[in-house]
């Protein structure tokens, strides 16, 4: 009984901080892997570029792939939980003015994206040993996106809805590029001063590359809505593959890949040095 009494859980604020840092680390792994694989595609070392979901397919092929997938999926769900605390409980103390609500809305959308990504990682566990390679994951993602687009087109004003979805993707891309130019990233970090400049440079390169990666996908979705053809909808990775086929495309793809790797590296910086503040509206006793 005394031994049981001596085992005490850390305070809730500490548990939240640990979960958030694990989540940033999981995000870093996804983007670092996706960027590295895309760079290999740009230099013709592998067939096609892969997106964030393709990184899970690559991980599944490694020794102890099932264990790594579980750890990655749990890490991503931890990040989703942190995004919920940011968006709903204002963990970053953004406030309730227009800028604050805009930031929190972006965090909510981010949480939705990573929730879908985490769900996809656990889907690999159900299909483990069947279609767990990156190429199969790419084809399956394209098919799923086209199926969703077809469902959207089957609704009233489906073409308008699909065009709107494409414009949202374009808006996310532009928003990331604007953040790369405008934001002061070291404000949220408690890193050594000598390192903060490098961290900010990683963040600017990473957000710019991530924003640029969304743009071709947004264009494809808008065109699918304009032409009322769900078959034109694709994934970020497939859109980048189409970009590679253009003059100078390999260089553009290589630069984008390097930027995605920078984004992943910055996520690891956040995992170590980001200021994680407890939400006001939770009892953290």
């Amino acid at each position: 009984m005394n031994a049981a009494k001596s085992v005490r859980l850390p305070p809730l604020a500490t548990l939240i901080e640990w979960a958030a840092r694990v989540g940033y680390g999981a995000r870093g792994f996804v983007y670092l892997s996706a960027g590295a694989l895309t760079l290999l595609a740009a230099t013709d070392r592998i067939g096609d570029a892969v997106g964030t979901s393709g990184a899970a397919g690559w991980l599944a092929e490694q020794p102890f792939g099932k264990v790594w997938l579980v750890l990655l999926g749990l890490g991503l769900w931890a990040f989703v939980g942190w995004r919920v605390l940011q968006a709903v409980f204002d963990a970053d103390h953004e406030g309730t003015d227009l800028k604050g609500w805009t930031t929190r809305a972006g965090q909510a959308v981010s949480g939705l994206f990573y929730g879908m990504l985490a769900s996809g990682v656990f889907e690999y566990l159900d299909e483990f040993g069947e279609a767990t390679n990156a190429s199969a994951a790419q084809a399956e993602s394209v098919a799923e996106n086209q199926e969703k687009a077809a469902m959207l087109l089957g609704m009233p004003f489906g073409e308008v809805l699909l065009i709107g979805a494409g414009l949202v993707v374009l808006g996310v891309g532009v928003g990331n590029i604007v953040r790369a130019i405008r934001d002061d990233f070291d404000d949220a970090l408690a890193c050594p001063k000598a390192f903060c400049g490098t961290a900010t440079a990683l963040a600017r390169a990473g957000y710019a590359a991530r924003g640029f990666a969304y743009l071709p996908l947004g264009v494809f979705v808008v065109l699918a809505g304009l032409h009322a053809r769900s078959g034109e909808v694709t994934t970020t990775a497939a859109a980048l593959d189409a970009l590679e086929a253009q003059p100078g495309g390999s260089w553009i793809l290589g630069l984008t890949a390097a930027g995605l790797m920078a984004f992943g590296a910055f996520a690891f910086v956040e995992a170590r040095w980001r200021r994680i503040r407890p939400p006001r509206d939770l009892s953290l006793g």
Side-chain angles (χ1 to χ4, degrees), residues 189-215:
L189 300 176
C191 59
K193 287 186 178 180
F195 185 70
C196 278
T198 301
T200 297
L202 287 173
R204 294 196 191 285
Y207 274 96
R210 194 171 74 147
F212 181 78
Y214 279 115
L215 298 182

Side-chain angles (χ1 to χ4, degrees), residues 61-152:
E61 297 175 332
Q62 308 311 308
F64 307 104
K66 189 175 285 191
V67 175
W68 296 122
L69 285 175
V70 169
L71 293 175
L72 178 61
L74 291 175
L76 290 172
W77 276 121
F79 191 68
V80 172
W82 171 239
R83 281 298 197 225
V84 170
L85 293 177
Q86 288 176 303
V88 178
F89 295 96
D90 196 16
D92 283 339
H93 310 318
E94 297 290 348
T96 54
D97 58 4
L98 179 60
K99 182 181 178 183
W101 280 117
T102 300
T103 300
R104 292 166 68 181
Q107 291 166 339
V109 172
S110 173
L112 179 62
F113 167 77
Y114 286 104
M116 294 170 61
L117 186 59
S119 297
V121 169
F122 280 106
E123 282 181 16
Y124 278 108
L125 292 172
D126 294 333
E127 303 165 1
F128 199 84
E130 299 174 12
T132 53
N133 60 76
S135 297
Q138 168 82 330
E140 186 176 344
S141 295
V142 171
E144 287 178 356
N145 285 355
Q146 290 178 352
E147 183 180 347
K148 292 172 185 175
M151 291 176 58
L152 203 59

Side-chain angles (χ1 to χ4, degrees), residues 269-280:
V269 171
E270 290 183 291
R272 172 63 180 86
W273 282 301
R274 196 185 196 281
R275 293 188 177 93
I276 307 294
R277 294 171 286 191
R280 295 188 185 98

Side-chain angles (χ1 to χ4, degrees), residues 110-276:
S110 173
L112 179 62
F113 167 77
Y114 286 104
M116 294 170 61
L117 186 59
S119 297
V121 169
F122 280 106
E123 282 181 16
Y124 278 108
L125 292 172
D126 294 333
E127 303 165 1
F128 199 84
E130 299 174 12
T132 53
N133 60 76
S135 297
Q138 168 82 330
E140 186 176 344
S141 295
V142 171
E144 287 178 356
N145 285 355
Q146 290 178 352
E147 183 180 347
K148 292 172 185 175
M151 291 176 58
L152 203 59
L153 286 171
M155 299 172 63
F157 306 104
E159 293 90 344
V160 176
L161 293 173
L162 193 56
I163 291 170
L167 292 176
V168 168
V169 175
L170 286 171
V172 171
V174 172
N176 274 268
I177 294 171
V178 170
R179 283 200 67 184
I181 298 170
R182 187 189 64 187
D183 280 18
D184 190 3
F185 295 97
D186 60 359
D187 276 356
L189 300 176
C191 59
K193 287 186 178 180
F195 185 70
C196 278
T198 301
T200 297
L202 287 173
R204 294 196 191 285
Y207 274 96
R210 194 171 74 147
F212 181 78
Y214 279 115
L215 298 182
L217 176 61
V219 170
F220 277 116
V221 176
V222 169
L223 290 175
L226 290 172
H227 300 155
R229 290 199 296 261
S230 62
E232 294 187 20
V233 174
T234 183
T235 62
T236 305
L240 289 175
D241 277 332
L243 182 65
E244 186 186 14
Q246 308 307 312
S250 294
W251 285 98
I252 296 173
L253 186 63
L255 290 172
T256 303
L260 293 176
M261 292 172 68
F263 187 84
F266 179 68
F268 282 119
V269 171
E270 290 183 291
R272 172 63 180 86
W273 282 301
R274 196 185 196 281
R275 293 188 177 93
I276 307 294

Side-chain angles (χ1 to χ4, degrees), residues 34-49 58 244 253 257:
L37 292 169
T38 301
L39 185 61
L40 290 174
T43 55
D44 296 325
R45 304 293 179 87
I46 61 174
D48 298 320
W58 170 83
E244 186 186 14
L253 186 63

